[in-house]
């Protein structure tokens, strides 16, 4: 009997109720209640998020959810951002597009991260989906302006085109002119990643002119400062703006024009861009500073005093990203100023201007972060590059900011100890996980022993993502994490002495996680094979660019290892330097 | 544009392989210190009773981690086919190795000589040559090179050649081939600031010991097909040249 008393609502009513349930977690829970709910739910799910494009096949998704309108896919592992994943590894989206083209004619939104997108894929999107609205290509590669031209020309109701941090092959600057005159629907356009010649400015101006709903616009570096005023005057309704090049010789008329244009943007809350910033032009922003909640100066080679001045005009700042300059100025003072004026700060990111510099830079230290932790009680998310740290500072930060959800600290020199005591930073990071009970993401650095992992395993119950480099002493460290962190989804490790023991002893844990990356560790080929054989729901992939892993003894460690759970079985698009440990796949060379 | 660096070298000397005992972890040396050929990499012996999963006791104190993951709470889109099969085979105690929970190394001593050795071994160039460290995205590295005060002329040239703005350093990756090794390696030129640094990284990559280093010379092939010494070229022009030419390492 399909419908019991408690469930005597008609399907339409349930469907209507389910339509209010948007979160994936809740949707998944709903689908597990009973068979009929599962059936109803799957027919009305409109949005699917796939955190690993190889965890499931397009066919499986289509079979289960026939009426999807929005899809989000992620491809390469996170460490691909730092060149640890060789080119050609995978993450191709074409097959997904091809299958969805037939199955989802009403697909309106595609969001991709770290995937390889070709012009062919883009042309297929343009051709196949009549109601296409949103294309977000975050950190993607493999396509050119030809593909963009196809999207621009065909997608009559395009609302969002966001290419942030992607690599685009520059073939022609005129793709923007492909947006038909009838296209007035753009709400968001991010072309900040494009190189010099890829944008026709007049086409851009005309586009901005005819899109009254444009709220978010990120220009690329080719757009010079004098042109910004023109754009802004055409789009005073902008909420989020990324300038292009913010450099020009100081000319009073250019300045006043710019200042006037900014002040006419009454809704502007978020700024980014500022390439090659000329500080003399920063005061043009002062009129909008009091409204700013987000400021991304991480491309701007801005010096501390200018930063201090600017930031002191922004009392409502919630999100600040900036680049620390290696100069004579004491950068900690800039952070102290920030701490005193931006009480609402929730997110802080400090990037190194000279990450490969050999000389130690003492102008930014742990003191800056401590000051911010003291002055900004709402701080939730930190990404901080520096060259020294102490346990005492970390403990202070942990106590000041118990609401931290993301804490990523990168002490630039690997294995740097506490600079005051020369001890490992175990206690400091231990305090972070202990006090910050909602911590979801953590990146470690500095000198660390197995003890820090013991703390993490004990306290990091909500931890979902952990990044580890040059840390630990033995398998015990990895064992603590795998056995203790109940919510762990993604674990990425490089250059740590973790071997087979912990991995094999916690093999089942791996099925509860999205993925595990280990490179330059001590996991043997034999252990990888064992995992591949015994765990059919895991894809165990060994990456080695120099020679096949089976040309060496089984006890030899593998170079790179990527393990992820999958219901789709081993993938078919592996390049020659990736070996699957699945028993069904023969290693051919 | 792709370039190729070729390395020619004498056959590597045979280094005896030492077996590694879990109880004497202090002998651990990182891969970086030994070079990627690492024939003396300590080999790890797997523990006892590791192949028969039925024999292994449940040691894992965290019960949630042993579930199959289909509950829907933790994961977003991971769906297993048989949802309503109560007898679904959930691997409760799937351990491929019994965790004995015995300390097997001197991890209590923070000033362990191990750290010192590894530190100095890996980082003698101040981190130069370490792929992916510090974890800064490639396009950010480009931004940093634009700094007028700190940036040397070569960096600006690099920026000019590769286009300003968002392009990542894919175009500064160089393929390095070594005579006798069939598969090429890749090296990112933009992280190196000197010819010395580049050579050091290459030597480490191919496991050429210090003694053999002097045998090799980095050369590039000009348009006429002649092989010229790379070290004769000022570093700042090397990028400029490399983008257009092929390179090879000769003995």
């Amino acid at each position: 009997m399909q419908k019991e008393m408690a469930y005597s609502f008609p399907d339409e009513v349930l469907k209507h109720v389910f339509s209010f349930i948007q979160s994936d977690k809740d949707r998944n829970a709903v689908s597990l209640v009973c068979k009929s709910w599962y059936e109803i739910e799957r027919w009305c799910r409109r949005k699917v998020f796939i955190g690993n494009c190889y965890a499931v096949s397009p066919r499986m998704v289509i079979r289960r959810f026939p009426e999807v309108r929005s899809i989000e896919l992620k491809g390469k592992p996170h460490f691909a951002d730092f060149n640890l994943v060789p080119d050609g590894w995978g993450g191709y989206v074409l097959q997904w597009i091809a299958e969805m083209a037939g199955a989802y004619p009403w697909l309106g939104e595609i969001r991709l991260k770290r995937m390889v997108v070709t012009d062919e894929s883009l042309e297929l999107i343009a051709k196949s989906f009549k109601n296409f609205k949103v294309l977000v290509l975050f950190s993607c590669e493999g396509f050119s302006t030809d593909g963009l031209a196809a999207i621009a020309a065909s997608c009559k109701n395009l609302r969002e085109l966001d290419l942030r941090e992607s690599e685009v092959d520059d073939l022609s600057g005129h793709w923007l002119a492909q947006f038909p005159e009838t296209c007035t629907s753009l709400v968001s356009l991010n072309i900040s990643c494009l190189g010099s010649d890829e944008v026709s400015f007049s086409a851009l101006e005309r586009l901005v002119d005819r899109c009254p709903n444009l709220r978010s616009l990120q220009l690329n570096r080719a757009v010079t400062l004098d042109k910004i005023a023109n754009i802004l005057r055409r789009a005073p309704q902008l909420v989020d703006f990324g300038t292009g090049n913010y450099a020009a010789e100081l000319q009073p008329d250019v300045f006043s024009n710019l200042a006037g244009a900014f002040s006419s943007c009454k809704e502007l809350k978020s700024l980014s861009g500022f390439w090659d910033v000329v500080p003399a032009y920063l005061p043009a922003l002062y009129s909008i500073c009091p409204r700013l909640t987000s400021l991304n100066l991480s491309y701007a080679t801005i010096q501390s005093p200018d930063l201090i001045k600017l930031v002191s005009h922004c009392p409502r700042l919630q999100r600040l990203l900036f680049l620390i300059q290696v100069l004579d100025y004491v950068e900690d003072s800039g952070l102290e100023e920030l701490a005193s004026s931006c009480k609402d700060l929730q997110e802080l990111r400090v990037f190194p201007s000279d990450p490969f510099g050999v000389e130690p830079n003492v102008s930014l230290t742990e003191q800056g972060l401590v000051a911010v932790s003291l002055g900004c009680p709402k701080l939730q998310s930190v990404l901080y590059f520096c060259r020294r740290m102490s346990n005492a500072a970390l403990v202070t930060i942990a106590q000041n900011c118990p609401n931290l959800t993301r804490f990523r600290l990168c002490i630039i020199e690997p294995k740097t100890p506490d600079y005051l005591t020369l001890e490992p930073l175990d206690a400091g990071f231990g305090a972070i996980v202990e006090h910050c009970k909602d911590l979801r993401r953590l990146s470690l650095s500095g000198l660390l022993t197995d003890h820090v992992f013991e703390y993490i395993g004990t306290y990091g119950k909500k931890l979902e993502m952990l990044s580890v480099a040059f840390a630990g002493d033995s398998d015990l460290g990895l064992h603590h994490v795998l056995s203790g962190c109940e919510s762990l989804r993604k674990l990425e490790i490089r250059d740590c002495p973790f071997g087979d023991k912990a991995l094999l002893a916690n093999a089942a844990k791996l099925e509860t996680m999205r993925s595990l990356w280990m490179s330059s560790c001590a996991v043997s080929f034999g252990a990888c094979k064992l995992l591949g054989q015994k765990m059919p729901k895991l894809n165990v992939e060994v990456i080695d660019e120099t020679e096949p892993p089976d040309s060496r003894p089984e006890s030899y460690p593998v170079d790179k290892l990527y393990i992820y759970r999958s219901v789709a079985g081993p993938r078919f698009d592996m390049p020659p330097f990736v070996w699957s440990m699945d028993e069904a796949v023969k290693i051919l060379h | 544009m792709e370039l190729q660096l070729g390395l020619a070298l004498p056959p590597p000397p045979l280094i005896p392989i030492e077996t590694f005992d879990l109880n004497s972890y202090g002998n651990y040396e990182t891969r970086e210190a030994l070079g990627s050929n690492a024939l003396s990499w300590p080999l790890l012996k797997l523990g006892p009773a590791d192949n028969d999963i039925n024999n292994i006791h449940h040691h894992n104190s965290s019960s949630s981690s042993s579930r199959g993951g289909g509950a829907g709470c933790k994961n977003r889109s991971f769906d297993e086919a048989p949802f309503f099969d109560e007898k679904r085979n959930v691997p409760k105690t799937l351990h491929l190795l019994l965790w004995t929970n015995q300390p097997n190394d001197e991890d209590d001593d923070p000033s362990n000589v191990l750290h010192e050795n590894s530190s100095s071994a890996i980082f003698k160039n101040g981190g130069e040559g370490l792929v992916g460290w510090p974890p800064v995205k490639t396009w950010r590295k480009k931004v940093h090179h634009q700094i007028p005060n700190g940036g040397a002329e070569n960096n600006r040239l690099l920026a000019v050649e590769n286009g300003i703005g968002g392009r990542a350093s894919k175009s500064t990756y160089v393929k390095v081939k070594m005579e006798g090794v069939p598969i090429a390696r890749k090296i990112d030129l933009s992280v190196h600031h000197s010819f010395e640094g580049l050579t050091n990284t290459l030597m480490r990559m191919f496991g050429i010991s210090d003694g053999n280093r002097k045998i090799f010379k980095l050369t590039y092939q000009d348009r006429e097909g002649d092989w010229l010494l790379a070290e004769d070229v000022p570093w700042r022009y090397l990028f400029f040249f490399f983008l257009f030419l092929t390179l090879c390492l000769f003995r």
Side-chain angles (χ1 to χ4, degrees), chain A residues 186-192 204 207-208 214-220 228 231-232 235 238-244 268 270-272:
Chain A
L186 267 186
V187 172
S188 171
L189 180 64
N190 182 341
I191 50 173
S192 53
L204 177 65
L207 184 61
V208 170
L214 193 66
R215 292 273 179 275
S216 174
L217 177 65
Q218 273 76 38
L219 302 172
N220 67 328
I228 294 176
I231 291 281
L232 287 176
L238 280 178
V239 172
D240 177 15
F241 181 61
T243 75
L268 204 48
S270 163
L271 283 179
S272 60

Side-chain angles (χ1 to χ4, degrees), chain A residues 201 219-232 241 243-251 253-259 261-262 274-282 284-285:
Chain A
F201 191 74
L219 302 172
N220 67 328
R221 204 165 174 177
V223 179
T224 51
L225 185 137
D226 52 303
K227 300 211 169 73
I228 294 176
N230 290 347
I231 291 281
L232 287 176
F241 181 61
T243 75
N245 214 288
Y246 209 75
E249 271 178 37
L250 189 57
Q251 288 167 326
D253 54 335
V254 174
F255 182 92
S256 59
N257 197 15
L258 187 62
F262 271 117
F274 299 107
W275 277 284
D276 304 320
V277 64
V278 166
Y281 276 105
L282 286 174
L285 301 169

Side-chain angles (χ1 to χ4, degrees), chain B residues 62-126:
Chain B
S62 163
S63 57
S64 59
S65 66
S66 59
R67 293 223 330 241
C73 295
K74 299 193 191 75
N75 56 67
R76 299 207 227 190
S77 61
F78 178 68
D79 295 315
E80 293 188 33
F83 272 93
F84 307 105
D85 179 12
E86 272 74 62
K87 299 188 191 59
R88 169 164 52 115
N89 190 17
V90 175
K92 287 203 192 65
T93 61
L94 185 55
H95 304 286
L96 299 181
L97 182 67
L98 174 64
W99 182 263
T100 58
N101 205 23
Q102 280 169 18
N104 54 16
D105 56 299
E106 309 86 358
D107 61 345
D108 294 323
D109 182 11
S111 59
N112 195 332
V113 122
L114 156 68
H115 294 127
E116 269 176 45
N117 284 344
S118 310
S119 267
S120 54
I122 306 172
F123 312 122
K124 45 186 175 199
N125 289 327

Side-chain angles (χ1 to χ4, degrees), chain A residues 28 32 64 165 505 545 557, chain B residues 41 76 79 83 95 137 183:
Chain A
N28 289 347
L32 290 176
R64 178 161 174 202
E165 297 180 30
E545 289 180 277
Chain B
W41 186 271
R76 299 207 227 190
D79 295 315
F83 272 93
H95 304 286
K137 290 188 187 178
I183 303 176

Side-chain angles (χ1 to χ4, degrees), chain B residues 178-196:
Chain B
M178 182 158 117
E179 221 175 340
V181 177
I183 303 176
R185 304 295 301 275
K186 266 191 182 172
I187 186 170
D188 183 358
L189 284 187
S190 66
V191 307
H192 295 93
H193 305 292
S194 67
F195 182 74
E196 262 276 303

Side-chain angles (χ1 to χ4, degrees), chain A residues 358-379:
Chain A
V358 180
E359 293 150 28
N361 161 30
V362 295
S363 59
L364 178 82
T365 69
E366 81 286 3
Q367 292 308 316
L369 187 56
V370 172
V372 174
S373 75
L374 203 53
C376 306
K378 297 189 188 170
L379 200 61

Side-chain angles (χ1 to χ4, degrees), chain B:
Chain B
M1 298 188 213
E2 221 172 57
L3 354 157
Q4 313 212 339
L5 285 176
L7 278 181
L9 68 127
L14 272 176
I15 303 168
I17 297 169
E18 289 172 3
T19 51
F20 180 71
D21 188 349
L22 281 176
N23 289 323
S24 59
Y25 223 111
N27 292 331
Y28 176 82
E29 271 188 296
T30 64
R31 182 183 294 273
E32 310 298 331
L34 300 175
S36 61
N37 269 350
L39 288 176
S40 55
W41 186 271
L43 305 176
L44 198 65
K45 282 197 272 196
L46 290 179
D50 47 357
N51 283 329
D52 188 350
I53 56 175
N54 294 322
N55 273 346
I56 291 167
H57 302 288
H58 177 62
H59 186 81
N60 197 325
S61 56
S62 163
S63 57
S64 59
S65 66
S66 59
R67 293 223 330 241
C73 295
K74 299 193 191 75
N75 56 67
R76 299 207 227 190
S77 61
F78 178 68
D79 295 315
E80 293 188 33
F83 272 93
F84 307 105
D85 179 12
E86 272 74 62
K87 299 188 191 59
R88 169 164 52 115
N89 190 17
V90 175
K92 287 203 192 65
T93 61
L94 185 55
H95 304 286
L96 299 181
L97 182 67
L98 174 64
W99 182 263
T100 58
N101 205 23
Q102 280 169 18
N104 54 16
D105 56 299
E106 309 86 358
D107 61 345
D108 294 323
D109 182 11
S111 59
N112 195 332
V113 122
L114 156 68
H115 294 127
E116 269 176 45
N117 284 344
S118 310
S119 267
S120 54
I122 306 172
F123 312 122
K124 45 186 175 199
N125 289 327
E128 205 179 57
L130 265 184
V131 177
W133 191 267
V136 174
K137 290 188 187 178
T138 8
W139 50 265
R140 278 201 185 279
K141 290 186 211 160
K142 268 299 159 58
V143 173
H144 305 150
H145 287 153
Q146 308 310 324
I147 298 170
N149 295 344
E153 214 183 284
N154 58 316
N155 293 328
R156 225 175 279 150
L157 250 182
L158 174 65
V160 167
E161 283 312 310
N162 289 318
I164 315 165
R167 207 184 306 259
S169 66
K170 223 163 106 167
S171 46
T172 60
Y173 264 83
V174 179
K175 244 200 203 146
V176 184
K177 268 214 174 108
M178 182 158 117
E179 221 175 340
V181 177
I183 303 176
R185 304 295 301 275
K186 266 191 182 172
I187 186 170
D188 183 358
L189 284 187
S190 66
V191 307
H192 295 93
H193 305 292
S194 67
F195 182 74
E196 262 276 303
L198 174 64
T199 325
N200 284 340
T201 307
L202 286 177
M203 297 300 166
R204 227 182 11 241
M205 234 184 208
F206 289 96
I208 299 169
S209 62
D210 283 348
N212 289 328
R213 209 174 271 225
K214 300 193 185 56
I215 305 175
F216 303 101
K217 293 267 179 245
L218 184 63
T219 59
Y220 66 94
Q221 191 171 35
D222 68 5
R223 271 175 250 251
E224 272 102 76
D226 300 323
W227 292 101
L228 306 170
L229 284 178
E231 65 189 357
D232 288 341
V233 179
W235 179 251
R236 61 170 180 230
Y237 293 128
L238 227 45
F239 284 90
F240 195 77
F241 283 175
F242 279 14
L243 290 170
F244 296 101
L245 305 171
T246 321
L247 300 154
C248 187
L249 195 60
F250 274 125
R251 226 188 298 203

